[in-house]
Amino acid sequence: MQRKHFILAVLVTAMWGINFPITKLGLAHIDPLLLTAIRFALAAFPWVFFVKRPNVAMQWLVAYGLIFGVAMWALINLGIAMGVPPGSASLLIQFSAFFTLGWGVLLFRESLTWPQFIGILLAAIGLVGILLGSPGKATSIGFMLVMISAVAWSIGNVIIKISKVKEIFAFVVWASIFPPIPLLLLTWLLHGATPFNDLASRMDSNAMFSLAFQVYAATHFCYWGWNFLLSEYAVSKVAPLSLLIPVFGVVSSIFIIHQIPSGWDWISMALILSALAIGMKKGRVALGRKKAVRVEAKPSTVVDS
């Protein structure tokens, strides 16, 4: 991965990590499903009137929008609202990296190297360590919802690869059209008119800041950057970088919502960073197909390796 693209990946993961405690600020005032609906409505409008539709089939826009908005972020917000600490949510969603690596091997015939395999084991230990050391308590349903959202994110990554989209920002904007209506309907079915009636009175500066950050930083910029990386590199190269998100999520939670990590949390985060460094090294293939490399030694001689 080029240096400038690695820097982009770090910036994207930092903003995504910070987004979790900032989302918590918004959830203190707005219903989680309604908050998600407003987020994607603002991500889509008025931008769809100025950004040309990307050159992909409509089915990919619809599928990504629903997975991205309803199956991923709505479930994350519901999980946090049910008591999952933002730092733990930023951790759980990173299991999508393992799911994405699996999709890469199964669907795209990508290989998994021994350094990546060792990195996965270290990262799994680090992720479980942060989860076990979480200072907050959450319902089992909340944890389950966030884990489902991790699977949804991995499927969204696969859609980006299959659709072969090049107009990444336009793809994010147009895909954002589809989550608001089902989310608004779900809000009404589950809670009636109360969340809508209370919205104006509860929209204070914290809620507005939370929404603005979710729309323009976490959605427009971050998904543009992340999907750009997916379009340029194999998913097995990009997915492990998402393991930086819980590190930024836990650290930013200290300053934003005063959630202090334990000593074991810091050790776990060090394991995750070590896993990332190891996983980015080259090595022999552990799982998947070895690519045939053809080297032309002479005009009449071809050596396969």
Side-chain angles (χ1 to χ4, degrees):
M1 183 177 288
Q2 296 182 39
R3 183 178 179 181
K4 63 181 180 181
H5 292 158
F6 180 75
I7 293 173
L8 173 63
V10 172
L11 185 58
V12 165
T13 54
M15 286 192 174
W16 261 336
I18 295 170
N19 182 60
F20 282 87
I22 288 179
T23 297
K24 178 72 173 180
L25 295 177
L27 291 171
H29 302 270
I30 306 173
D31 176 88
L33 293 178
L34 181 57
L35 178 69
T36 313
I38 296 172
R39 168 184 176 171
F40 285 99
L42 293 175
F45 299 100
W47 313 108
V48 292
F49 299 117
F50 304 101
V51 178
K52 184 180 178 181
R53 177 186 157 187
N55 187 28
V56 295
M58 180 61 73
Q59 65 190 41
W60 299 126
L61 287 170
V62 176
Y64 188 80
L66 295 177
I67 289 171
F68 178 35
V70 181
M72 182 184 168
W73 277 107
L75 295 186
I76 291 174
N77 287 350
L78 278 172
I80 294 175
M82 288 181 177
V84 178
S88 297
S90 69
L91 149 73
L92 289 170
I93 191 65
Q94 299 326 307
F95 279 95
S96 66
F98 305 140
F99 298 131
T100 302
L101 286 174
W103 293 127
V105 173
L106 291 174
L107 300 179
F108 305 114
R109 297 182 179 180
E110 295 179 0
S111 59
L112 191 66
T113 65
W114 279 110
Q116 288 176 321
F117 186 75
I118 294 170
I120 287 173
L121 293 178
L122 289 176
I125 295 172
L127 292 172
V128 172
I130 293 179
L131 182 58
L132 293 177
S134 173
K137 300 296 181 181
T139 65
S140 299
I141 295 177
F143 277 119
M144 182 178 68
L145 291 176
V146 179
M147 283 298 294
I148 293 173
S149 72
V151 177
W153 190 10
S154 72
I155 296 173
N157 290 341
V158 170
I159 290 175
I160 293 297
K161 294 298 291 185
I162 294 176
S163 68
K164 297 180 180 179
V165 60
K166 296 301 180 184
E167 306 95 332
I168 302 299
F169 181 76
F171 187 82
V172 172
V173 168
W174 279 81
S176 298
I177 295 173
F178 303 100
I181 291 179
L183 288 171
L184 291 172
L185 290 175
L186 283 172
T187 303
W188 182 277
L189 290 173
L190 293 175
H191 305 293
T194 303
F196 300 94
N197 295 334
D198 295 343
L199 181 61
S201 61
R202 300 179 70 86
M203 189 65 75
D204 63 4
S205 58
N206 283 338
M208 293 178 67
F209 168 73
S210 177
L211 265 173
F213 191 91
Q214 290 178 63
V215 172
Y216 303 112
T219 302
H220 281 166
F221 174 76
C222 288
Y223 278 96
W224 163 80
W226 186 256
N227 292 341
F228 168 78
L229 294 172
L230 284 171
S231 69
E232 294 292 318
Y233 298 95
V235 292
S236 58
K237 293 288 185 182
V238 179
L241 293 168
S242 67
L243 295 171
L244 287 171
I245 295 175
V247 177
F248 290 114
V250 171
V251 172
S252 62
S253 293
I254 297 174
F255 302 99
I256 297 174
I257 59 173
H258 310 295
Q259 186 183 80
I260 309 298
S262 65
W264 181 246
D265 286 333
W266 292 112
I267 295 173
S268 299
M269 284 188 284
L271 280 173
I272 292 173
L273 291 173
S274 300
L276 182 60
I278 293 172
M280 294 184 68
K281 293 182 178 294
K282 295 181 179 180
R284 291 185 301 168
V285 173
L287 185 63
R289 288 189 174 187
K290 292 184 178 180
K291 295 182 179 179
V293 179
R294 298 176 63 85
V295 180
E296 189 174 335
K298 295 179 180 180
S300 60
T301 304
V302 176
V303 179
D304 289 333
S305 60

